[in-house]
Amino acid sequence: MTETPTATAAEIKISFSGDEAREAACALELQVGEGRSRTIHFWDSPRKGGDGTSLPFLDRGIIFRLRLDDGDHGSRRESDMTVKLRPCPPLPPEWQKNRKDEDGGWEFTIEEDRTGPAFTPVVSASLQADRKVEAKLVESALRPTPGAVDHVLAKPHRHLLEDAAGLKQGDLADLRALGPVYTVKWKQDWEALPHPVAIEEWTAKDLRFLEVSVRTSTADAAETEKLLEQALRRRNVAPPRSGETKTRAVLTVLARDLAL
């Protein structure tokens, strides 16, 4: 029986964009050399319409994301591929709880995304797989031509897409690579917060985002939201009055040049 799973973990997020992102980065005294630099690519099938550019897969709650470590790694580049379902649809029994490969090659997790200032819980599911593939296959997957994503999807990704969304390999033929997005991620220990704080900066074209997040249990989520806001204020960072999903904002900008 398919059911929407219940999450026991939550990720609390507060996001800043544009000038607010620059001001927050300055107040937090972030140094690029102290963070982990990666490049991110996404896939969707952008289309132009009367209301602007549409993203059919994102609109269905399906996100394809490839993260590449920056730096010289020879013929193979450290990377991971994620398929994320947000909001999470009803899932068959085998996908209703966290799972991982015995060899550590992939991991499936269910958690709540809570983005400030409303912090409305949205259940999401994601399958992340390490993809230590040849550089030429990655380059092929990143070409702005339909169907290229198949080179970097792992078998568990395909199984999840078919079981959760009824999508088979042929249904992904129109996916096109969107990117790059340049990211730097820091992890810090802040007083009063029992878990490490992750700070991630995204830049793409004329967009800039800064996201501050903490992972915790759903039972402690409400208290963690308050503690994170208080910790930001102590660092002279005022939480924004409205929240924005950085994935949708960035994909919309990246898709404009490819939309047909």
Side-chain angles (χ1 to χ4, degrees):
M1 180 179 178
T2 60
E3 294 181 359
T4 302
T6 300
T8 59
E11 185 174 14
I12 314 303
K13 304 176 181 180
I14 297 178
S15 298
F16 306 84
S17 63
D19 290 339
E20 286 186 337
R22 282 184 281 272
E23 292 167 3
C26 182
L28 295 173
E29 300 180 346
L30 301 176
Q31 301 296 322
V32 173
E34 297 175 357
R36 180 182 182 182
S37 297
R38 290 188 288 192
T39 303
I40 299 179
H41 294 265
F42 295 91
W43 281 262
D44 211 301
S45 303
R47 293 289 184 272
K48 283 185 179 178
D51 296 329
T53 303
S54 66
L55 295 158
F57 284 86
L58 182 61
D59 290 340
R60 291 183 60 179
I62 304 171
I63 300 167
F64 299 86
R65 182 193 71 203
L66 175 70
R67 294 187 297 199
L68 298 165
D69 271 351
D70 289 349
D72 184 8
H73 298 282
S75 63
R76 292 180 181 268
R77 194 173 179 186
E78 297 292 328
S79 62
D80 62 68
M81 181 71 188
T82 296
V83 170
K84 189 164 189 173
L85 308 175
R86 183 177 61 197
C88 183
L91 299 175
E94 62 269 28
W95 293 107
Q96 291 177 13
K97 59 182 180 180
N98 294 345
R99 302 170 56 186
K100 64 171 58 179
D101 177 31
E102 292 181 357
D103 297 327
W106 60 269
E107 184 173 10
F108 175 75
T109 57
I110 298 166
E111 67 179 8
E112 286 182 356
D113 284 344
R114 297 188 176 212
T115 301
F119 297 113
T120 303
V122 178
V123 177
S124 67
S126 61
L127 194 153
Q128 178 178 311
D130 293 335
R131 305 300 290 146
K132 297 178 181 179
V133 296
E134 294 289 345
K136 62 181 181 181
L137 292 180
V138 173
E139 292 171 3
S140 176
L142 298 181
R143 293 172 186 163
T145 54
V149 70
D150 192 56
H151 296 308
V152 289
L153 286 177
K155 286 184 179 179
H157 289 135
R158 298 189 183 95
H159 293 159
L160 175 64
L161 288 166
E162 184 170 355
D163 293 347
L167 294 174
K168 297 184 179 181
Q169 185 172 349
D171 299 316
L172 309 180
D174 290 335
L175 283 168
R176 305 176 72 187
L178 306 173
V181 179
Y182 302 103
T183 76
V184 183
K185 187 172 185 177
W186 302 262
K187 284 196 174 182
Q188 300 179 357
D189 292 321
W190 289 7
E191 74 285 353
L193 284 161
H195 304 286
V197 175
I199 306 170
E200 189 165 19
E201 184 178 56
W202 285 24
T203 55
K205 295 190 175 180
D206 56 348
L207 288 178
R208 183 174 184 175
F209 284 87
L210 189 77
E211 180 182 87
V212 181
S213 64
V214 179
R215 281 190 160 87
T216 187
S217 67
T218 52
D220 294 334
E223 180 63 19
T224 302
E225 292 162 7
K226 297 176 184 177
L227 293 174
L228 183 57
E229 288 184 320
Q230 292 169 1
L232 283 169
R233 290 191 178 96
R234 284 195 294 271
R235 288 164 171 78
N236 297 317
V237 179
R241 294 182 179 181
S242 61
E244 186 172 13
T245 303
K246 66 180 185 298
T247 300
R248 176 170 289 279
V250 170
L251 262 65
T252 299
V253 170
L254 295 176
R256 287 174 186 162
D257 295 337
L258 287 180
L260 301 177

